[in-house]
Amino acid sequence: MWYSPIFQRFRQQLQPRRRLAIFEACLIGLVSALAAVLLKSGVGLLGAWRVQTSLLLPAWFVLPGIGLTFGFLAGWLVERVAPETSGSGIPQVKAVLARIPIALDLRVALVKLIGGILALGSGLALGREGPTVQVSAALAAQLSRWFPTSPDHRRQLIAAGAGAGLAAAFNTPIAGVLFVVEELLQDFSEFTLGTAILASFIGAVVSRLLGGRSLDLNLALTASKTEFLVQDIPFYLVLGVLAGLMGALFNRGIITSLTVYRRSLRFGLPARVALAGLVSGMIVALLPLAFRDNTGLREILITGEASWSMAAIAFLSQFILTLVAYGSGVPGGLFAPALTLGAALGYLVGIGEHSLLLPFGIATGLPITYALAGMGAFFTAVARVPITGIIIVFEMTTDFNLVLPLMIGCATSYLVAEKLEPGSLYDKLLAWNGITIEKAPPAGGIMTNLTAKDVMQQQVETLDTEMPLDEVMQAFARSHHRGFPVVEESKLVGIVTQSDLLNIRDRNLANDTPLREIMTTTPMSVTSIHSLSNVLYLLDRYQISRLPVVDGRKLIGIITRGDIIRAEADHLNGENATPRLRPEPSYVVYQTRSPSTGRGRLLVPVANPETAGILLQMAAAIARDRHYEIDCVQVMLIPRHSSPSETQVRTAKSRRLLRQAEVLAKKWQIPLHTQIRVTHDVAQSILETINEEHIDLILMGWKGGTSTPGRIFGNVVDTIIRQATCEVVLVKLGTTQQSPVETRLIASLPTQHSFNRWLVPMAGGPNSRLAIKLLPALLTLGNEPQIRLTQVFKPSELKPDMTISEQAIRHLMRRRKLSSTVVALPVQANSVAEGVINLVKTEGYDVVVLGASREGLLQQAIQGNIPEAIASGVESTVILVRGAINK
């Protein structure tokens, strides 16, 4: 079924609207902060118990034993329940955002949380920041399932969750946002930034409150004053070079460690993690007491309390312990080890500068400044995110003296590391697992590269809110559609389906009940910028066959499953087919624009000054009635051997005609746009204008008759009737109703033109209804017009049922309070053309309005084409109306 009312109350949840996005971002920030605090508290409690126990019992026994036991438990949990949680977690999130099918849900979040607490609390030299990112991203992914949304919007929510996790772990909201756009999603769109900023802010604030810190950013660890001197610049360059070298070596060591564990130690994950815990415990037991708390060690380095020997031991031991732990597959991150290693390396460089320059009496910077700059530099060399590296340390310290040292160190380390080992560590980890992420969208990805606007049907069969119930039922009976959009002044206000009609069977509604009382309001829709993947997601998830495409509330098209399938087929055919030569497009050499305030667009091609006046008057009448804008185009033909974009043309006469059209539009207070196109083919140029300007109706003149073999109305008109998707109104002006030849007199149309007596043949088809719908606007051209609706029947037939004509009369009276006479009378004749022509000649009708389909206008019947025969057989004005067609 096309649409069901059950979806109405979920509409705001089904589509990524701004208010829902704000709510989702806040919720993601909140749950990310709770997860970060829970992970931090769990690791802290277990770690404190481990350190306290090692003080009460022999460390050589306690530390390896705890590492072995809890490491085994963490490995068992990961292997049995969620293997996706092995390792840092950031590579897995990055893969999911690149549309790689890796699980990311509540199960992953819980296993990563518990496994991370067990592993990190047991003393393994890894960080909780990577696990926090994966846990937060998994929770965001689970929320996107509870609040169904499109795939692209889901990716943005997952990225926002990852950013919020990082922000909550480090209390650095800006760094969380930058990490999303610099490393994970690489998307700087407004929506991505908005959700990431809000989620990261909420995550950081809640984490600081629940984590025991106030909102005051003057952290104790930076209470000591930092300083930056000009003579320090060479040493910060040295720090950047060393950080780049050691960062590249660290990345290679991580990959080597993974390879050794997998190839040399051929046993399960629980045993590997247990072995890593055992070895790590044994090494830490041999080190000074400060090394039993990784966070405390880093704070010792950045507060200046460490000696050079302690800093050197810290760098060497943390380097080895991290490789031992991470290679096992333990659920732990690399952020914290990278920061600790950078702090130790920077501290050593600072002490080295002090030792070199102090004997010469040269002032030097403090080692803690180098330690903090080293944190950012080493982190940049590992993750290859220099901006995030600068911001993350700056946010942790809020010390502006660190900005220049961080910029120098991070930029230098990035260049050196990228030269030695190109690519981020996370990309290398994915590649080691056989996953390669393309930097550019894969060729042929039309589901993400094409939007609804590219494949939608621009013309839609709609119903009016005031249409009575009996006409609605007739519309369903005549159509194969199972539902119709309902519009009011070109705006989508509802939808009516066969189910709606079935639901009102027992209500005993009157036949004249307006459609607005039975339609379903606020239908599901998409905008023109929705990707095909988003559209297909909605179609599949809610088992509907088509979706209206809107611009604001204005209905601009409709998209179906068939449209998407055809687009995919055309793309596949286009890849393998030989390119076909296409005619060179027309070229706009002159144009003017008015404010775009209308609800639609009406195109008037003008070429003949003798007919331009009346065509523009008709266009103005229709535009006023429908609140349309008018596009006035003049086409200039050039030889085939010349290029439209390179050929010089004289446009003075054309501009004068268009300027006079502007004068008329100003008098009528209608927005009017003009343009002059140079082309090889008039019909092609008009069709291009229809497509580019989103034309809803084209009104064009026809001289009557054609000498072209095989054509009904002529090359140009036949092509427009056949290919234009908008409504087509074709006008053959009567012989007594010509405008003056001189264009300067267009504004003063002759008063002898008569539009008083109107004849409208009725056949009952949809185009007859279009003619009736157009009639109220055209009647303003006459003075107290008289209308006759007629149906032709043969002498051998019974008198026809006049119900259709009576419905048309009711429609006319409802649309406009007519003071003139409207009658519905049948006429007997051998053919429709004969009957209409005889009526015009005997009763002197001024205008004949005839609705016809594309096929009806172009088909060559045995007795001739009926619309063409009528238009050619009378001297009165004939207006042929053809409805819009689907692509």
Side-chain angles (χ1 to χ4, degrees):
M1 185 174 65
W2 187 25
Y3 178 83
S4 175
I6 195 173
F7 300 134
Q8 180 180 346
R9 61 178 179 271
F10 298 117
R11 180 172 180 266
Q12 293 300 322
Q13 284 78 15
L14 300 179
Q15 302 185 60
R17 298 292 189 253
R18 187 175 297 274
R19 284 179 294 182
L20 178 60
I22 293 174
F23 168 74
E24 290 172 330
C26 293
L27 187 58
I28 288 171
L30 178 62
V31 298
S32 299
L34 294 176
V37 171
L38 186 58
L39 181 61
K40 176 184 177 182
S41 301
V43 172
L45 290 173
L46 185 57
W49 172 79
R50 178 179 62 86
V51 173
Q52 187 67 27
T53 305
S54 69
L55 297 177
L56 300 176
L57 300 175
W60 59 267
F61 172 76
V62 170
L63 295 179
I66 292 177
L68 175 69
T69 303
F70 286 97
F72 180 86
L73 292 175
W76 179 87
L77 180 65
V78 169
E79 185 178 62
R80 293 298 181 90
V81 183
E84 304 88 352
T85 59
S86 174
S88 166
I90 293 179
Q92 292 91 318
V93 174
K94 189 172 183 178
V96 170
L97 294 176
R99 297 184 174 87
I100 305 298
I102 295 178
L104 200 62
D105 50 26
L106 184 61
R107 171 183 58 88
V108 170
L110 293 176
V111 172
K112 191 74 170 187
L113 181 65
I114 299 173
I117 292 175
L118 293 175
L120 303 180
S122 68
L124 291 170
L126 295 175
R128 57 184 169 83
E129 292 76 16
T132 306
V133 169
Q134 188 178 14
V135 169
S136 301
L139 292 173
Q142 187 63 50
L143 286 174
S144 72
R145 292 184 176 91
W146 290 338
F147 297 93
T149 186
S150 67
D152 286 345
H153 185 49
R154 180 173 180 266
R155 290 177 64 241
Q156 291 167 323
L157 293 180
I158 292 173
L166 182 62
F170 280 113
N171 294 316
T172 53
I174 300 177
V177 175
L178 290 177
F179 188 70
V180 168
V181 299
E182 191 176 18
E183 172 65 17
L184 295 182
L185 203 55
Q186 298 177 350
D187 177 11
F188 291 85
S189 66
E190 176 186 357
F191 191 85
T192 298
L193 285 175
T195 53
I197 289 172
L198 189 54
S200 298
F201 171 76
I202 297 294
V205 169
V206 174
S207 175
R208 292 181 68 84
L209 290 174
L210 297 181
R213 296 182 185 271
S214 68
L215 294 180
D216 183 7
L217 296 179
N218 293 322
L219 305 180
L221 63 89
T222 57
S224 300
K225 184 179 179 181
T226 59
E227 58 182 354
F228 173 68
L229 305 175
V230 175
Q231 55 265 34
D232 295 338
I233 293 178
F235 291 92
Y236 284 114
L237 290 172
V238 172
L239 173 60
V241 172
L242 291 175
L245 290 171
M246 300 310 296
L249 180 63
F250 179 80
N251 287 1
R252 182 171 293 184
I254 290 291
I255 301 300
T256 302
S257 176
L258 288 168
T259 305
V260 169
Y261 267 100
R262 175 173 292 185
R263 294 180 179 177
S264 301
L265 305 176
R266 299 181 179 276
F267 38 75
L269 181 64
R272 294 202 305 269
V273 178
L275 178 61
L278 176 66
V279 173
S280 297
M282 294 172 62
I283 294 175
V284 171
L286 300 175
L287 296 173
L289 183 63
F291 286 80
R292 299 179 188 180
D293 181 5
N294 294 324
T295 302
L297 175 63
R298 185 168 64 247
E299 292 189 359
I300 289 174
L301 293 171
I302 62 179
T303 52
E305 299 176 6
S307 63
W308 73 268
S309 58
M310 184 176 186
I313 295 173
F315 183 84
L316 182 62
S317 62
Q318 284 294 305
F319 199 100
I320 296 174
L321 288 171
T322 303
L323 298 186
V324 169
Y326 195 86
S328 67
V330 63
L334 296 172
F335 272 36
L339 294 176
T340 302
L341 289 169
L345 182 64
Y347 197 84
L348 288 172
V349 173
I351 292 178
E353 181 206 29
H354 187 76
S355 301
L356 288 174
L357 298 184
L358 189 62
F360 299 98
I362 302 176
T364 62
L366 296 175
I368 62 172
T369 308
Y370 283 91
L372 292 169
M375 290 169 61
F378 200 93
F379 175 81
T380 297
V382 172
R384 309 296 162 87
V385 282
I387 300 177
T388 304
I390 295 170
I391 296 299
I392 198 171
V393 177
F394 172 73
E395 278 193 288
M396 292 170 64
T397 60
T398 65
D399 190 344
F400 282 95
N401 288 329
L402 289 174
V403 173
L404 287 178
L406 283 169
M407 293 178 68
I408 296 171
C410 291
T412 306
S413 68
Y414 175 81
L415 294 175
V416 173
E418 192 67 15
K419 182 69 174 179
L420 296 176
E421 283 284 321
S424 165
L425 174 60
Y426 302 118
D427 290 333
K428 293 182 181 299
L429 291 173
L430 288 173
W432 187 82
N433 286 288
I435 300 173
T436 302
I437 298 177
E438 298 289 341
K439 295 300 182 182
I446 68 166
M447 298 305 291
T448 54
N449 296 337
L450 291 185
T451 64
K453 180 180 179 181
D454 297 322
V455 301
M456 71 181 184
Q457 302 171 20
Q458 294 183 5
Q459 304 302 325
V460 189
E461 190 173 352
T462 63
L463 302 181
D464 191 79
T465 53
E466 299 300 321
M467 179 177 285
L469 178 58
D470 57 347
E471 293 187 26
V472 173
M473 292 184 173
Q474 290 179 18
F476 274 96
R478 288 189 297 264
S479 174
H480 65 279
H481 297 314
R482 293 188 291 175
F484 291 93
V486 183
V487 297
E488 186 174 41
E489 297 180 347
S490 299
K491 294 181 179 179
L492 181 68
V493 295
I495 206 161
V496 60
T497 67
Q498 291 177 346
S499 297
D500 295 323
L501 298 182
L502 293 174
N503 292 335
I504 64 171
R505 286 183 302 180
D506 299 331
R507 293 171 57 184
N508 297 322
L509 296 177
N511 287 337
D512 60 351
T513 301
L515 178 55
R516 68 171 180 272
E517 296 185 11
I518 62 173
M519 70 181 184
T520 301
T521 57
T522 60
M524 187 190 307
S525 62
V526 294
T527 66
S528 59
I529 62 174
H530 273 76
S531 67
L532 293 191
S533 62
N534 288 349
V535 175
L536 191 60
Y537 166 79
L538 291 175
L539 293 174
D540 287 341
R541 182 176 181 88
Y542 303 107
Q543 294 300 301
I544 51 181
S545 59
R546 61 192 67 198
L547 283 168
V549 184
V550 296
D551 182 6
R553 289 182 58 198
K554 180 181 178 182
L555 180 67
I556 60 174
I558 199 163
I559 186 168
T560 68
R561 295 176 185 271
D563 297 326
I564 298 176
I565 293 172
R566 280 192 295 272
E568 183 72 29
D570 291 342
H571 173 73
L572 294 176
N573 292 334
E575 287 184 339
N576 300 319
T578 302
R580 295 178 296 177
L581 293 176
R582 294 186 176 181
E584 189 172 354
S586 60
Y587 184 73
V588 178
V589 295
Y590 171 86
Q591 69 176 356
T592 63
R593 292 289 183 185
S594 294
S596 182
T597 58
R599 297 170 184 161
R601 305 288 284 266
L602 188 155
L603 176 64
V604 185
V606 293
N608 185 0
E610 298 180 359
T611 60
I614 292 190
L615 290 178
L616 287 170
Q617 192 180 30
M618 291 181 175
I622 299 171
R624 280 197 299 265
D625 182 70
R626 299 190 179 187
H627 302 284
Y628 278 8
E629 304 163 25
I630 296 178
D631 285 76
C632 196
V633 62
Q634 186 160 51
V635 179
M636 304 183 68
L637 272 174
I638 61 171
R640 290 280 179 180
H641 58 78
S642 302
S643 171
S645 61
E646 299 175 359
T647 303
Q648 292 186 354
V649 293
R650 296 181 179 180
T651 61
K653 292 182 179 180
S654 299
R655 290 201 305 271
R656 282 198 296 270
L657 181 60
L658 294 178
R659 279 197 293 268
Q660 291 179 4
E662 292 174 354
V663 173
L664 290 176
K666 185 176 181 180
K667 174 183 176 182
W668 297 324
Q669 296 184 345
I670 298 173
L672 181 133
H673 318 281
T674 67
Q675 58 179 266
I676 301 174
R677 287 179 174 259
V678 180
T679 185
H680 296 146
D681 188 320
V682 175
Q684 174 198 334
S685 179
I686 293 174
L687 291 171
E688 290 172 358
T689 306
I690 291 173
N691 292 330
E692 293 171 9
E693 305 297 337
H694 305 292
I695 299 299
D696 298 280
L697 184 149
I698 177 173
L699 186 146
M700 58 190 305
W702 173 55
K703 63 183 179 180
T706 180
S707 58
T708 305
R711 295 291 183 176
I712 305 300
F713 300 96
N715 283 323
V716 174
V717 177
D718 281 15
T719 302
I720 299 302
I721 291 173
R722 181 178 292 108
Q723 297 185 25
T725 56
C726 62
E727 292 182 51
V728 177
V729 177
L730 185 63
V731 180
K732 191 219 76 171
L733 293 173
T735 56
T736 60
Q737 296 173 347
Q738 301 297 323
S739 304
V741 174
E742 300 174 9
T743 58
R744 60 186 174 82
L745 298 178
I746 282 182
S748 56
L749 292 174
T751 58
Q752 70 268 23
H753 292 176
S754 176
F755 292 94
N756 296 328
R757 293 176 54 80
W758 296 72
L759 178 64
V760 186
M762 300 295 296
N767 291 284
S768 295
R769 295 195 301 274
L770 284 174
I772 293 296
K773 187 177 180 181
L774 188 68
L775 195 57
L778 297 176
L779 290 176
T780 59
L781 300 173
N783 183 21
E784 295 185 359
Q786 300 175 7
I787 306 102
R788 174 174 174 172
L789 310 181
T790 187
Q791 293 177 242
V792 179
F793 67 102
K794 294 182 179 181
S796 58
E797 297 176 348
L798 297 175
K799 188 175 180 180
D801 184 2
M802 300 298 290
T803 303
I804 296 173
S805 298
E806 293 170 357
Q807 291 175 352
I809 291 176
R810 289 200 302 270
H811 175 81
L812 288 173
M813 301 305 294
R814 186 168 61 245
R815 282 289 311 277
R816 185 182 297 275
K817 301 299 183 182
L818 297 176
S819 59
S820 55
T821 310
V822 181
V823 296
L825 296 173
V827 63
Q828 191 177 70
N830 292 321
S831 68
V832 174
E834 177 187 331
V836 173
I837 292 172
N838 289 338
L839 273 177
V840 173
K841 291 181 177 180
T842 57
E843 301 190 17
Y845 287 101
D846 302 317
V847 187
V848 179
V849 182
L850 183 66
S853 66
R854 171 175 58 175
E855 292 75 16
L857 285 169
L858 297 178
Q859 69 184 0
Q860 284 281 15
I862 296 176
Q863 296 181 344
N865 181 277
I866 295 175
E868 189 275 336
I870 294 174
S872 301
V874 299
E875 295 183 354
S876 304
T877 295
V878 178
I879 302 175
L880 303 177
V881 183
R882 193 224 70 189
I885 57 175
N886 294 332
K887 287 183 177 179

